[in-house]
Amino acid sequence: MVAHSVLLDFTVSANVIADLEKRSNLKSAIANVLGEHFIGLKPLTESNIDGSLLILYTGPRGSLITVRGYKEGLVTLNIEYFKQDDEEALLTFEQWRYLEADVAMALNSQRSKCLPPVRRGTIYDLYLTLSDERLLEYDIDKLVFEARSPYQKVQIVHSKSLGNLLVLDELQNMSEADLIYTETLMQRGKENYAGKEIVILGGGDGGLLWELLKEKPKYVTMLEIDDVVMKACSQHMRSICGDCLDKRKGDNYEIIVGDCVKALAHMIEEGRQFDYVFGDLTDIPISTTPHGDAWDFIRLILNSSVKVLKPTGKYMTHGNGASCPESLKMYEEVLSQLCIPVTFAKDRAFVPSFFEDWIFYQVSLK
Amino acid sequence: MVAHSVLLDFTVSANVIADLEKRSNLKSAIANVLGEHFIGLKPLTESNIDGSLLILYTGPRGSLITVRGYKEGLVTLNIEYFKQDDEEALLTFEQWRYLEADVAMALNSQRSKCLPPVRRGTIYDLYLTLSDERLLEYDIDKLVFEARSPYQKVQIVHSKSLGNLLVLDELQNMSEADLIYTETLMQRGKENYAGKEIVILGGGDGGLLWELLKEKPKYVTMLEIDDVVMKACSQHMRSICGDCLDKRKGDNYEIIVGDCVKALAHMIEEGRQFDYVFGDLTDIPISTTPHGDAWDFIRLILNSSVKVLKPTGKYMTHGNGASCPESLKMYEEVLSQLCIPVTFAKDRAFVPSFFEDWIFYQVSLK
């Protein structure tokens, strides 16, 4: 069960709305053309808001049809109705385009647009946003898993093009089509992990651990707080994590379920040193200044991580979308102000489930 | 100048809407929380449509706030207002999320969603659709060129991530980031074009001609109907087409502006034969049956093209999105019923400006 909202808009001459006689013609023209497309169309109410026109109609299947004529020269037409799973849509895609064409002709509109129906109330999110807040509709056709852990809402949904997709608090995290993400994060082919000691902060989907284990490291310690994520991925994302999340300890790895900040503090106390630390936690925040809890957490993680690196060690992490240069710049400023001086390199890759280029950092001690 | 529509929805228990006393509580809860977020909120009208609740408010800056409570257990909240170019948005992205959280709490909603504002009335399309009719917002920030040719609406817009993007009748066609499209269409590295005779049907963006010329063919004849497209691309898509569209004739190529069907018929009459024919015209139609004008055109083009192929020749073309297996299957059935028997191979590539995997066909005579 979902509600469908279909949004159309039409650019018209401003005087069509502003001039009262023309407005009256416009109103009959709209009523006529809507009457042709919607059987049983009934006017509900009409009003004037700040000089803009508002007309409401009810149509078939309890649909509400809202027409607004803005005095600047824009008419919007919204149709919203409730659709049961076994019901057909009110109009086909083609019929919506005919409606658009007919209204455009009736309004003498020079530019019009009809968006595909926005589906509302689905049990999984069909619409996820890119890092620059753009809207993107995924081809999700099934909710595979859902649970609320103590830390976040954990969903695994199935996408027709991406396979299973892990979604944490409505944020797309990792899909079965995203090997390039892990390979760019670890700089496969450029870094040598054989015989190395490694820490992963986060990494609950198991993808990074699974790929690192293929490179014969000496030992990998993974610090992940959310057991629900690991169990879900172990069951539903096996093409990503293999069997590495099935048990807490293997020949050359261990998964510690808990707060990585505390574990890092303990490692610093013990004077432990690693070849690689991976920051596979939340993304760099999108904000106007590098302040607030999220940035404090990033600084804390970075300052703790560099303290457990061998002098030749590296801190590897993902940044954010290439479309957010301001946030990336703030992150680089944070890097330049750590308790231990560092240098960094960057790489980028198009991540299929993110639908955008992503930036990855490789941080070395100076 | 654009109108912004912000769509929120909230899943609630069905009895919250169906039970009249509960519905009355719900109404006051909504009025309270909206009053906190929108200064000067005023009730406009209230109604009952097929057992679902409708409440309209007007808010700041002439905004219209529509609340619908569907008896099945879904509340939609739509806010629409007009925004001048120099005005701030009514609420920031963060403030919309706070509104969502507050309404969700007031409604005791277990699942809610707030879409980024849909911008309506822009001079270029921000929203283009994928081949399976999914909605996608592009990062378009500038209209570079616009004209209406005798055949179609021709626009070149600038995308922050893709560079310039050719849009024909609201359909994304080719961007400066799409070399992979041309390379997969021509099977670069797998086909040898040196010394070959080639026909391009369509190809107005010039990308295919430009890349083919790099492979030292004997002669390329391009048949494109729309001079407006070629002039626009020649000026604004030079990273795609180089200078090959600047003139109609080069040492080893010619561009004939006109109907390729007539030109092909003429070539058949003359008994001309080519090593390669490229179908770089419209996509395979998305339809339920392989009938109608669009499919007839495809059959006509295919039957004409195979008649001008040398026995060793190939017909190369783009199909459609990998997400449309039904349409691709219909196309393959059309291939199996041509006037001359053929076999075909397929390849696929993720095309950046299409945001999806695209299928390409290589057709050989049996």
Side-chain angles (χ1 to χ4, degrees):
Chain A
M1 50 156 244
V2 286
H4 278 207
S5 292
V6 182
L7 306 181
L8 300 98
D9 54 83
F10 305 88
T11 302
V12 297
S13 337
N15 65 12
V16 170
I17 309 291
D19 180 305
L20 284 186
E21 196 183 317
K22 285 191 177 140
R23 187 190 277 206
S24 160
N25 292 339
L26 175 105
K27 277 155 54 176
S28 4
I30 289 176
N32 284 340
V33 62
L34 290 180
E36 283 164 22
H37 285 267
F38 298 107
I39 294 163
L41 186 83
K42 274 189 208 138
L44 182 68
T45 183
E46 191 182 314
S47 186
N48 189 319
I49 305 175
D50 281 6
S52 88
L53 172 71
L54 169 69
I55 318 173
L56 295 187
Y57 298 93
T58 57
R61 288 166 56 185
S63 55
L64 176 69
I65 300 167
T66 310
V67 181
R68 269 194 91 174
Y70 294 95
K71 57 182 190 290
E72 290 83 356
L74 178 68
V75 173
T76 61
L77 172 60
N78 304 351
I79 295 114
E80 190 179 312
Y81 68 101
F82 197 86
K83 187 188 152 304
Q84 304 288 355
D85 291 339
D86 56 354
E87 279 181 316
E88 291 288 307
L90 188 59
L91 298 183
T92 63
F93 189 71
E94 215 169 21
Q95 287 173 321
W96 287 116
R97 297 302 299 249
Y98 278 120
L99 172 68
E100 179 193 354
D102 288 352
V103 174
M105 181 155 331
L107 299 181
N108 195 21
S109 164
Q110 292 307 303
R111 188 216 59 86
S112 66
K113 180 72 184 173
C114 176
L115 293 186
V118 176
R119 286 170 284 166
R120 311 170 72 178
T122 47
I123 49 170
Y124 40 76
D125 269 344
L126 286 169
Y127 305 95
L128 298 168
T129 42
L130 301 184
S131 60
D132 55 355
E133 289 168 19
R134 279 187 285 143
L135 181 61
L136 180 60
E137 182 176 350
Y138 282 65
D139 55 353
I140 294 169
D141 58 2
K142 206 167 62 183
L143 179 64
V144 175
F145 173 89
E146 183 175 53
R148 202 170 273 278
S149 83
Y151 309 102
Q152 54 204 336
K153 181 169 156 189
V154 181
Q155 288 182 314
I156 293 177
V157 295
H158 180 263
S159 148
K160 281 187 264 187
S161 55
L162 303 166
N164 281 347
L165 170 66
L166 174 66
V167 180
L168 299 176
D169 280 344
E170 271 81 45
L171 215 63
Q172 61 273 48
N173 196 282
M174 167 74 88
S175 86
E176 292 189 285
D178 294 343
L179 179 60
I180 186 70
Y181 179 91
T182 304
E183 293 196 320
T184 313
L185 173 59
M186 66 190 274
Q187 297 284 291
R188 175 162 271 164
K190 296 179 196 161
E191 297 289 336
N192 176 12
Y193 294 101
K196 299 292 168 61
E197 290 178 284
I198 302 169
V199 172
I200 300 174
L201 310 175
D205 54 65
L208 177 59
L209 176 59
W210 183 241
E211 296 306 325
L212 282 172
L213 290 176
K214 293 179 184 169
E215 314 248 336
K216 313 286 174 213
K218 184 174 174 194
Y219 206 82
V220 184
T221 309
M222 177 167 138
L223 309 170
E224 165 64 48
I225 204 165
D226 201 337
D227 202 26
V228 174
V229 171
M230 290 192 284
K231 282 187 173 141
C233 291
S234 169
Q235 196 176 349
H236 302 292
M237 302 277 284
R238 277 188 103 73
S239 74
I240 285 293
C241 61
D243 62 7
C244 75
L245 298 176
D246 292 359
K247 46 191 199 309
R248 290 275 169 271
K249 222 169 167 6
D251 288 343
N252 59 345
Y253 74 95
E254 181 179 13
I255 300 168
I256 300 173
V257 184
D259 182 350
C260 70
V261 173
K262 283 186 195 155
L264 271 175
H266 193 65
M267 286 170 170
I268 294 168
E269 257 174 48
E270 288 186 321
R272 295 190 61 185
Q273 303 252 288
F274 298 91
D275 296 292
Y276 292 96
V277 176
F278 282 91
D280 196 9
L281 299 157
T282 50
D283 297 325
I284 297 175
I286 310 288
S287 61
T288 44
T289 58
H291 300 297
D293 291 351
W295 281 102
D296 286 343
F297 181 69
I298 281 186
R299 266 184 282 263
L300 176 62
I301 290 293
L302 277 168
N303 277 315
S304 307
S305 296
V306 292
K307 285 182 193 155
V308 298
L309 279 183
K310 293 182 186 170
T312 55
K314 283 188 181 176
Y315 178 81
M316 318 278 281
T317 193
H318 48 80
N320 210 315
S323 61
C324 299
E326 303 80 7
S327 286
L328 295 167
K329 195 151 178 282
M330 281 189 256
Y331 184 74
E332 292 166 21
E333 275 162 25
V334 168
L335 285 179
S336 73
Q337 292 158 4
L338 296 186
C339 60
I340 301 175
V342 299
T343 59
F344 65 86
K346 284 191 270 191
D347 197 6
R348 67 192 284 160
F350 183 88
V351 180
S353 81
F354 296 178
F355 281 80
E356 59 183 321
D357 271 9
W358 213 252
I359 304 295
F360 298 83
Y361 287 94
Q362 303 86 45
V363 180
S364 309
L365 304 183
K366 248 185 193 159
Chain B
M1 52 155 242
V2 287
H4 278 207
S5 292
V6 182
L7 306 181
L8 300 98
D9 54 81
F10 305 87
T11 302
V12 296
S13 336
N15 65 12
V16 171
I17 311 291
D19 180 304
L20 284 186
E21 196 183 317
K22 283 192 178 139
R23 187 191 277 206
S24 160
N25 292 339
L26 175 105
K27 277 154 56 176
S28 1
I30 291 176
N32 284 341
V33 61
L34 290 180
E36 281 165 23
H37 285 267
F38 298 107
I39 294 163
L41 186 84
K42 275 189 207 135
L44 182 67
T45 184
E46 191 181 315
S47 187
N48 190 317
I49 306 175
D50 280 5
S52 89
L53 172 71
L54 168 69
I55 318 172
L56 295 187
Y57 298 92
T58 57
R61 289 167 53 185
S63 55
L64 176 70
I65 299 167
T66 310
V67 181
R68 270 194 92 175
Y70 295 96
K71 58 182 188 290
E72 289 84 357
L74 178 68
V75 173
T76 61
L77 172 60
N78 303 351
I79 295 115
E80 189 179 312
Y81 68 100
F82 197 86
K83 187 188 153 305
Q84 303 288 355
D85 291 339
D86 56 355
E87 279 181 316
E88 292 287 308
L90 188 59
L91 298 183
T92 63
F93 189 70
E94 214 169 21
Q95 287 172 323
W96 287 116
R97 298 301 298 249
Y98 279 119
L99 172 68
E100 179 193 355
D102 288 352
V103 174
M105 181 156 330
L107 299 180
N108 196 20
S109 164
Q110 293 307 304
R111 188 215 60 86
S112 65
K113 179 72 183 174
C114 176
L115 292 185
V118 176
R119 287 170 282 165
R120 311 170 72 178
T122 48
I123 49 171
Y124 41 77
D125 269 344
L126 285 170
Y127 305 94
L128 299 168
T129 41
L130 301 185
S131 60
D132 55 355
E133 290 168 20
R134 278 187 286 143
L135 179 62
L136 179 60
E137 182 176 349
Y138 282 64
D139 54 353
I140 294 169
D141 57 2
K142 207 166 61 183
L143 178 65
V144 174
F145 173 89
E146 184 175 53
R148 203 171 272 278
S149 83
Y151 309 101
Q152 54 203 337
K153 182 169 157 189
V154 181
Q155 288 183 312
I156 294 177
V157 295
H158 180 262
S159 148
K160 280 186 264 187
S161 55
L162 303 165
N164 281 347
L165 171 67
L166 174 66
V167 180
L168 300 176
D169 279 344
E170 271 80 44
L171 214 63
Q172 59 273 45
N173 196 283
M174 167 73 90
S175 85
E176 292 188 287
D178 293 345
L179 179 60
I180 186 72
Y181 179 91
T182 303
E183 293 196 320
T184 314
L185 173 59
M186 67 190 273
Q187 297 284 291
R188 176 161 271 163
K190 296 178 197 162
E191 298 290 337
N192 176 11
Y193 294 102
K196 300 291 168 61
E197 290 179 284
I198 303 169
V199 172
I200 301 174
L201 310 175
D205 55 64
L208 178 60
L209 177 58
W210 184 240
E211 296 305 325
L212 282 172
L213 291 176
K214 293 179 184 170
E215 314 247 336
K216 312 284 172 217
K218 183 174 174 194
Y219 205 82
V220 184
T221 307
M222 176 167 138
L223 308 171
E224 164 64 47
I225 204 165
D226 201 337
D227 202 26
V228 174
V229 171
M230 289 193 284
K231 283 190 172 141
C233 291
S234 169
Q235 195 174 351
H236 302 291
M237 302 279 283
R238 277 189 102 74
S239 73
I240 285 293
C241 60
D243 62 8
C244 75
L245 298 176
D246 292 359
K247 45 191 198 310
R248 291 274 169 273
K249 222 169 168 3
D251 288 343
N252 59 345
Y253 74 95
E254 181 178 13
I255 300 168
I256 300 172
V257 183
D259 183 351
C260 70
V261 173
K262 285 187 193 153
L264 271 175
H266 193 65
M267 286 169 170
I268 295 168
E269 258 174 49
E270 288 188 321
R272 296 191 60 186
Q273 303 252 287
F274 299 89
D275 296 292
Y276 292 96
V277 176
F278 282 91
D280 195 9
L281 299 157
T282 49
D283 297 325
I284 298 176
I286 309 287
S287 61
T288 44
T289 58
H291 301 298
D293 292 350
W295 282 102
D296 287 343
F297 181 70
I298 281 186
R299 266 184 281 264
L300 176 62
I301 290 293
L302 277 168
N303 278 316
S304 308
S305 296
V306 290
K307 286 182 193 154
V308 298
L309 279 184
K310 294 183 188 171
T312 55
K314 283 188 183 175
Y315 178 81
M316 318 278 282
T317 193
H318 48 80
N320 209 314
S323 61
C324 299
E326 301 82 7
S327 287
L328 295 166
K329 196 153 177 281
M330 282 190 253
Y331 185 74
E332 291 166 21
E333 277 162 23
V334 168
L335 285 179
S336 74
Q337 293 158 3
L338 295 187
C339 59
I340 302 176
V342 299
T343 58
F344 65 86
K346 284 191 269 191
D347 196 7
R348 67 193 284 161
F350 183 88
V351 181
S353 82
F354 297 178
F355 280 80
E356 59 183 322
D357 271 11
W358 214 251
I359 304 294
F360 299 84
Y361 287 95
Q362 302 86 46
V363 180
S364 309
L365 303 184
K366 250 184 193 161

